[in-house]
Amino acid sequence: MKKIAKILLTGSTGMVGRCILFNKKSSNFKFLTPSRKKLNLLNYSNVYNYIKKNKPDIIIHAAGIVGGIHKNLKEPKKFLVENIEIGKNVILSAHLNKVKKMINLSSSCVYSPHSKGPLKENQILEGKFESSNEAYAYAKVFNTLLCNYINKENNKYNYKTLIPCNLFGEYDSFDPKKSHLVASIIFKINQAIKTKKKSVEIWGNGLSRREFMFTRDFSDFIFFSIKNFHKLPDNINVGMGYDFRIIDYYKKVKKVLNWEGNFTYNKNKPSGQKRKLLNIKNQKTLGWMPKYSLEKSIKITNEYYLKNEKSNN
């Protein structure tokens, strides 16, 4: 009888973590999803001893301090220190306990806004980071390099870093002080419908471009990665292969929600990085592409928001 692989999933209550657990393919594995009370990722001894005791075959490291521009600008120290500490504790504890396989989740913010796109994996650390998420980017690069160095020192270890484009979907945060772009738009337009407001504010000029993927697609790639561990490069971009302007996302949500209002621009607020489209050549070579359209993804996410509206507000 084939042994069922045991997977430790950090960040299991977050958007990506929950999407992984609700993916149909999760039933093929035994998942360890300890609560914060049982596993404090900021405590090295706690993490080391948990991994030593439970002996996972694979670790999916999806935990971290996350948020949109507003939260990144307000709490940079927390984003830097805690994300580095969490990553260091998980990755080193896994290595010292001889866990040979890990999927480390990174972010497209590891690329400099000054790099020429579409952005390739070898452009990490090429220039300064975008100021609005600099602290988070430094932490993600630290985790990526730590995984790369472990692989380099011993080829029996396969610590793969996935670099997704921006993500949204079910289980997202819709709190305007914490949310990313698409979730924020869904929240704002729903509030406008509810209060019969005729306009919604856009930060900046709305012309910066973003590549967004539905979390159901990204969770599917994670299971694809588990199946194809040895085919994956150490670092791999995961994306759509195309992007839209921020104003286009507002228009798409407006259309899906059948709202008839208008948009205003607050140019005193940051527009964020102008563009960070990923080069997904390696992803395509492996034979994987996302399945969900933007419209379908927005519709499903909005249905989730409406179903959970009380807890979202």
Side-chain angles (χ1 to χ4, degrees):
M1 188 175 176
K2 190 179 177 181
K3 180 189 172 187
I4 296 175
K6 189 192 294 184
I7 300 177
L8 168 60
L9 173 62
T10 69
S12 61
T13 60
M15 176 177 68
V16 173
R18 291 173 75 183
C19 229
I20 291 168
L21 293 176
F22 283 101
N23 189 300
K24 290 178 183 176
K25 294 171 186 173
S26 66
S27 60
N28 297 323
F29 304 91
K30 180 181 179 181
F31 274 90
L32 302 173
T33 58
S35 66
R36 195 171 298 179
K37 192 175 180 181
K38 285 188 177 180
L39 180 60
N40 178 6
L41 297 177
L42 289 167
N43 184 312
Y44 176 78
S45 296
N46 190 195
V47 178
Y48 178 89
N49 290 328
Y50 182 91
I51 293 174
K52 184 178 181 180
K53 180 182 177 182
N54 289 280
K55 297 179 172 57
D57 302 298
I58 303 168
I59 294 176
I60 300 175
H61 180 39
I65 310 300
V66 298
I69 288 179
H70 183 280
K71 196 174 181 186
N72 270 270
L73 289 170
K74 190 179 179 184
E75 302 177 72
K77 177 169 66 68
K78 182 183 180 77
F79 272 75
L80 177 68
V81 175
E82 294 195 13
N83 280 312
I84 285 179
E85 193 68 19
I86 289 169
K88 175 179 70 70
N89 292 345
V90 172
I91 297 165
L92 286 183
S93 294
H95 179 234
L96 293 173
N97 280 296
K98 296 181 170 56
V99 178
K100 298 297 196 299
K101 294 181 179 180
M102 177 181 290
I103 293 176
N104 170 50
L105 303 189
S106 185
S107 163
S108 58
C109 71
V110 298
Y111 295 111
S112 169
H114 307 293
S115 293
K116 187 178 178 181
L119 300 160
K120 298 178 182 177
E121 292 88 347
N122 62 6
Q123 289 175 282
I124 295 171
L125 286 177
E126 181 186 84
K128 292 183 177 180
F129 298 124
E130 165 62 35
S131 59
S132 61
N133 55 23
E134 181 183 77
Y136 185 70
Y138 272 113
K140 286 298 181 183
V141 167
F142 174 89
N143 294 348
T144 300
L145 291 176
L146 185 53
C147 288
N148 291 169
Y149 294 155
I150 287 169
N151 294 339
K152 189 176 180 180
E153 289 178 6
N154 189 332
N155 61 15
K156 290 182 180 179
Y157 287 84
N158 282 286
Y159 285 13
K160 308 297 186 179
T161 295
L162 309 187
I163 309 167
C165 62
N166 295 288
L167 301 171
F168 77 99
E170 299 141 301
Y171 320 113
D172 210 339
S173 169
F174 296 88
D175 181 336
K177 292 181 180 178
K178 300 177 184 176
S179 58
H180 291 92
L181 181 68
V182 178
S184 171
I185 299 170
I186 289 171
F187 174 83
K188 288 197 281 188
I189 291 183
N190 269 293
Q191 288 300 107
I193 292 168
K194 193 174 180 180
T195 60
K196 297 182 180 177
K197 194 177 174 184
K198 294 184 178 179
S199 68
V200 161
E201 182 183 271
I202 297 174
W203 277 24
N205 59 21
L207 300 179
S208 295
R209 302 185 72 89
R210 290 292 178 271
E211 179 183 11
F212 268 91
M213 177 185 287
F214 193 35
T215 42
R216 286 192 191 183
D217 275 325
F218 185 54
S219 71
D220 187 65
F221 185 80
I222 289 170
F223 286 104
F224 176 88
S225 299
I226 292 169
K227 189 177 179 182
N228 296 277
F229 244 105
H230 296 285
K231 293 181 183 178
L232 264 65
D234 285 356
N235 308 322
I236 182 168
N237 290 334
V238 188
M240 304 295 290
Y242 55 86
D243 58 8
F244 295 104
R245 298 175 305 167
I246 284 173
I247 181 59
D248 296 324
Y249 286 104
Y250 275 87
K251 288 177 178 177
K252 296 268 186 186
V253 176
K254 173 181 174 176
K255 185 177 178 181
V256 171
L257 272 62
N258 295 313
W259 180 60
E260 296 181 354
N262 299 305
F263 302 116
T264 59
Y265 298 88
N266 185 343
K267 294 183 180 178
N268 293 318
K269 297 290 187 180
S271 296
Q273 192 168 324
K274 286 186 178 179
R275 195 178 197 191
K276 49 179 180 176
L277 179 66
L278 299 180
N279 181 310
I280 58 168
K281 183 180 177 181
N282 287 327
Q283 171 193 305
K284 285 182 175 179
T285 300
L286 289 169
W288 185 90
M289 282 297 288
K291 299 180 179 69
Y292 285 86
S293 69
L294 179 59
E295 290 79 5
K296 180 70 172 174
S297 306
I298 290 171
K299 185 174 183 292
I300 294 170
T301 306
N302 185 60
E303 287 170 354
Y304 171 83
Y305 170 82
L306 292 174
K307 189 176 178 182
N308 299 273
E309 190 171 5
K310 286 183 181 178
S311 59
N312 288 326
N313 295 328

